[in-house]
Amino acid sequence: MKKWMHWICGILLLLLIPAVLRAADVLPLGTRELIAEKYAGFSGVLRVWICEGWTSGESFSGWLNECFAPFERAHEGVYVEAIYVDESALATLTDSGVRPPDAILFAPGMPVDSSALAALDDMPVRSALQTCGGGLAVPVALGGYAWATDAALPADRRELAASVPDDEPYRSWPAAMLALCSVEAAEEEIVDPGIDLGLPAAADALEDGEAMIEPVTQREIAQLVRLRDQGRGTNWEIDGAAAFTDQVLLMSVVANGGERQALAEELVRHLLGEESQSALADRGMFNTIDALTGYAANSPYLPIDLALHAESLIVPPAFSNAWRAQAASALGAYLSGEGEADALLRGLFGISE
């Protein structure tokens, strides 16, 4: 009896083999079809190339990761892949032989292949920032310039010398100094005393008592705050900020059509949302929308935030660097008494009265 049962079970297993083979042949095809339908025209990964150029003293990665996470949660199956690249990668976005990005983040004047970019319309940035990207790039974060002074000095001594830092690729100190000398509250007379600030040695100069007024950005302010928290440095304060900045993090979308491009444009809008923009205040940077970034009334960053929200804010064009070579000459003309700082700064960018 038991032997017959074994024979019967064996026959049944043999009969099941064709059905199993047919199922193995059909089911994977069905699965592949479902995946192809769900991600038609889109792989599920948005590739974002990042070339910073300037920072607040730390990378943008922390802020971007904080912003990307809720975007991914709101778009099931989508993953944002952040890839840090150098400038040369931006010059050949679509014909470099590697898979192109869906969006890029970069600083003004970087050699971007603008012919590969999609038009970005009706982005929610404030009016002073609407045109700097030429319709192909949108500012998503800013840095700024200000005067840091020794608060222990009598007010009538604040017109003493400030040093002129060396120019940098993505922080034009000559243009910034022209903007800072246009601030009525400061009324500084600048010379070059030969102090090698080096940056971030601007903060060191205040710490060591070598300087009574220094031009700084959010990067140097962060260092001064750390020194103060450690009980070091002088009793400094921020006294006037510039309605100019070339510290701009721009975002563009690569024109590839279809769902990938649409989703990349949605990511730009997400970074410009109030939640993403207010998170910049946690990292010593400034927003690009109408509302203030969110610094407290006693924050040393607030004067810069207010200046960056001025209607008269000057921001250089995204895809040109020609003005940088002229900035040092314009500053030299101001130091020689050959023009007003504000007029010379506006002249760099062809802005009339």
Side-chain angles (χ1 to χ4, degrees), residues 46-50 68 80-81 83 90 93 100-106 117 250-256 260-261 263-265 267-268 271:
L46 278 182
R47 290 164 57 89
V48 180
W49 284 5
I50 304 166
F68 290 162
V80 181
E81 183 182 17
I83 304 170
L90 301 178
L93 290 173
D102 299 296
I104 58 173
L105 288 154
F106 61 101
L117 304 179
L250 295 154
M251 190 167 188
S252 293
V253 171
V254 176
N256 49 37
R260 300 182 68 89
Q261 181 178 322
L263 200 57
E265 292 175 5
L267 179 60
V268 178
L271 290 183

Side-chain angles (χ1 to χ4, degrees), residues 42 48 64 82 93 110 133 163 176 178 215 255 285 299 301 311 336 347:
F42 179 64
V48 180
L64 291 172
L93 290 173
M110 286 184 173
S163 57
L178 287 173
M285 291 178 281
S299 170
Y301 296 97
E311 292 185 6
S336 302

Side-chain angles (χ1 to χ4, degrees), residues 217-237:
T217 72
Q218 65 286 337
R219 188 189 306 180
E220 289 72 44
I221 291 175
Q223 182 179 0
L224 287 168
V225 169
R226 286 193 294 271
L227 290 171
R228 183 171 61 190
D229 292 344
Q230 297 167 8
R232 301 165 57 195
T234 61
N235 185 24
W236 58 271
E237 64 181 22

Side-chain angles (χ1 to χ4, degrees), residues 116-140:
L117 304 179
L120 294 175
D121 301 319
D122 300 323
M123 289 294 171
V125 295
R126 53 185 178 269
S127 58
L129 300 171
Q130 288 282 349
T131 60
C132 65
L136 299 174
V138 178
V140 296

Side-chain angles (χ1 to χ4, degrees), residues 14 158 323:
L14 288 173
R158 293 190 183 177
W323 63 274

